[in-house]
Amino acid sequence: MISQKIQVPYLNLGLQHKNIKGEILRSIETILDSGQFILGEETQKFEARFAALAGTSYALGVANGTDALFLSLLALNIGKGDEVITAPNSFLASASSVVLAGATPVFADVRADFNLDPEKTEKAITAKTKAIIVVHLTGRPAPIDELKAIALKHNLHLIEDCAQAIGALYNGKPVGSFGTTGCFSLHPLKNLAACGDGGVITTNDEKIYKHLLLARNHGLKNRDECSFWSYNSRLDNIQAAILNVKLKELEKWTARRREIAGMYQSRLKGLDLILPVDSEKEKAVYHTFIIQSKKRDALQKFLSEQGVDTKVHYPIAIHQQEAARELGYRKGDFPVTERQTETILSLPIFPELTNEQVNYVADCIHEFYSLS
């Protein structure tokens, strides 16, 4: 029996800054004194460091992760009349960016690990398909070797949605380095988080990089000359300065996330649950730790009553959203995704979570199954 309740939040962003607040404030003060707020030295420094982390030749900061996807699609001349294959179980931006670019998202079902099923992806290819957006969901690398082979076979672009997966490795190589572009989010909820919004695009293609440098800044090639109409999607220099401080902590934070995941895997083994486990090829970064339970709703309610906050990522698949109605999908089109929406539950996992809290969550789950 649980002897004493403790509170376990799903996330506590304030704790992340406790030990680095002084350094962050000093970095902001430097920007305030310089008056260099847009595309400054700190942004360039961050981009160089990010490219090194991602194992790519280039990285450039943009306003958010959705813009990273959107601008990548435009840079590849994907638009009206084109189709882009992606997963229906992701955050909706994976698909909405395709719509905003003027193209049509086409979904393929996922496997048990929540990532695109290569076989079903290949079956979804038509004469109109121009790209595959592969999502490394939950921070677990997708089967990128298989998906890249399919893209090469059919002469398609491969765009990586790495919003949840910074630092994840597949066969020892960082996600974001396999595709034509890699698209990262720096939203406050992400593993590497700005204090506001932000995003990054990575690429090894110099031509695409040079295009994106202009595309994120109105198409301006200098202060007075515009090469093409484009958008305003720049990473603020203050956010870059904050991110430069946080980048130094990322390896430690990732190691702690993996440690917590290991504790959950050990403590919850043997229960009537499906647990996420890395394969030999993968090094996941556990943006989320998602278990699957046939009694998900009852389990979530029980955990809440014990003071444990959990989430569902995501309860409504993209193809079942009202916004996607015109795409013509119906219930049953993606059975794995739809089944998962009824069983998935995200447990608390963030670097500042204590071992006591992790063990308490596990104790509560054991208590639930002993009573049910």
Side-chain angles (χ1 to χ4, degrees):
M1 292 290 292
I2 299 167
S3 58
Q4 184 176 359
K5 292 183 181 181
I6 64 174
Q7 295 299 310
V8 185
Y10 182 75
L11 189 63
N12 187 330
L13 293 177
L15 286 177
Q16 182 185 96
H17 302 101
K18 184 177 180 180
N19 295 325
I20 56 175
K21 184 184 292 186
E23 189 175 358
I24 286 176
L25 292 175
R26 287 191 295 273
S27 72
I28 293 173
E29 187 174 314
T30 299
I31 302 298
L32 293 176
D33 291 342
S34 73
Q36 195 175 52
F37 299 113
I38 302 293
L39 300 180
E41 182 179 341
E42 286 290 332
T43 300
Q44 294 171 359
K45 188 188 301 183
F46 172 71
E47 290 171 339
R49 291 174 176 175
F50 199 98
L53 174 67
T56 56
S57 300
Y58 309 102
L60 70 158
V62 292
N64 53 68
T66 305
D67 279 3
L69 291 165
F70 173 67
L71 291 175
S72 290
L73 291 163
L74 295 187
L76 300 176
N77 295 312
I78 294 171
K80 188 175 181 180
D82 298 332
E83 294 178 351
V84 178
I85 298 171
T86 192
N89 67 333
S90 178
F91 180 64
L92 55 89
S94 303
S96 67
S97 58
V98 177
V99 176
L100 294 172
T104 301
V106 172
F107 298 115
D109 212 350
V110 299
R111 301 199 293 201
D113 65 356
F114 308 118
N115 285 319
L116 270 175
D117 184 321
E119 181 180 349
K120 292 173 181 175
T121 298
E122 187 163 24
K123 287 181 179 178
I125 295 171
T126 72
K128 295 180 179 181
T129 307
K130 294 296 173 64
I132 300 169
I133 294 180
V134 53
V135 185
H136 302 290
L137 202 66
T138 78
R140 184 172 181 179
I144 198 69
D145 50 356
E146 297 176 67
L147 292 165
K148 187 169 183 177
I150 291 169
L152 289 171
K153 176 182 174 181
H154 295 275
N155 195 29
L156 305 176
H157 289 292
L158 185 66
I159 299 171
E160 294 180 73
D161 184 338
C162 311
Q164 300 183 0
I166 184 170
L169 304 176
Y170 190 84
N171 278 334
K173 187 177 178 182
V175 300
S177 64
F178 295 89
T180 310
T181 65
C183 302
F184 295 79
S185 171
L186 305 171
H187 183 276
L189 297 181
K190 298 301 188 286
N191 292 23
L192 178 65
C195 293
D197 244 324
V200 179
I201 304 173
T202 56
T203 186
N204 289 307
D205 190 310
E206 184 179 14
K207 183 179 179 181
I208 290 174
Y209 171 67
K210 288 183 175 179
H211 171 85
L212 287 168
L213 282 176
L214 305 188
R216 70 174 177 181
N217 190 28
H218 299 288
L220 290 166
K221 64 180 181 180
N222 56 49
R223 185 179 182 277
D224 301 311
E225 297 180 90
C226 180
S227 297
F228 54 89
W229 304 119
S230 193
Y231 297 83
N232 177 6
S233 180
R234 303 172 300 213
L235 180 65
D236 289 342
N237 210 30
I238 284 180
Q239 296 295 351
I242 294 169
L243 290 160
N244 279 325
V245 174
K246 291 188 174 186
L247 261 178
K248 293 182 287 186
E249 307 293 323
L250 181 61
E251 185 176 352
K252 179 179 69 177
W253 289 342
T254 299
R256 177 57 180 162
R257 284 179 177 272
R258 288 180 55 79
E259 182 181 18
I260 293 169
M263 291 177 67
Y264 279 141
Q265 288 159 348
S266 176
R267 289 292 321 277
L268 300 178
K269 188 176 181 180
L271 294 178
D272 188 18
L273 298 168
I274 299 175
L275 304 174
V277 181
D278 298 24
S279 76
E280 291 183 0
K281 293 182 177 182
E282 303 165 355
K283 181 181 178 182
V285 295
Y286 292 100
H287 171 65
T288 50
F289 189 91
I290 298 181
I291 64 174
Q292 296 184 64
S293 170
K294 297 172 185 175
K295 303 176 180 179
R296 189 269 310 280
D297 293 345
L299 174 58
Q300 185 175 35
K301 182 175 183 292
F302 179 82
L303 289 173
S304 178
E305 290 169 350
Q306 310 313 312
V308 177
D309 188 21
T310 60
K311 306 294 180 186
V312 177
H313 297 96
Y314 302 95
I316 304 174
I318 303 175
H319 70 285
Q320 295 177 314
Q321 297 285 349
E322 182 180 352
R325 185 180 301 169
E326 63 183 19
L327 297 176
Y329 291 109
R330 297 180 180 180
K331 185 175 181 179
D333 284 345
F334 307 105
V336 177
T337 292
E338 292 172 24
R339 186 164 60 249
Q340 288 173 348
T341 63
E342 298 174 353
T343 61
I344 52 176
L345 185 66
S346 300
L347 302 184
I349 185 166
F350 58 93
E352 297 77 25
L353 206 62
T354 67
N355 286 357
E356 179 188 19
Q357 289 173 313
V358 176
N359 282 314
Y360 178 74
V361 174
D363 288 342
C364 289
I365 294 174
H366 274 275
E367 179 83 357
F368 171 80
Y369 277 98
S370 72
L371 296 173
S372 62

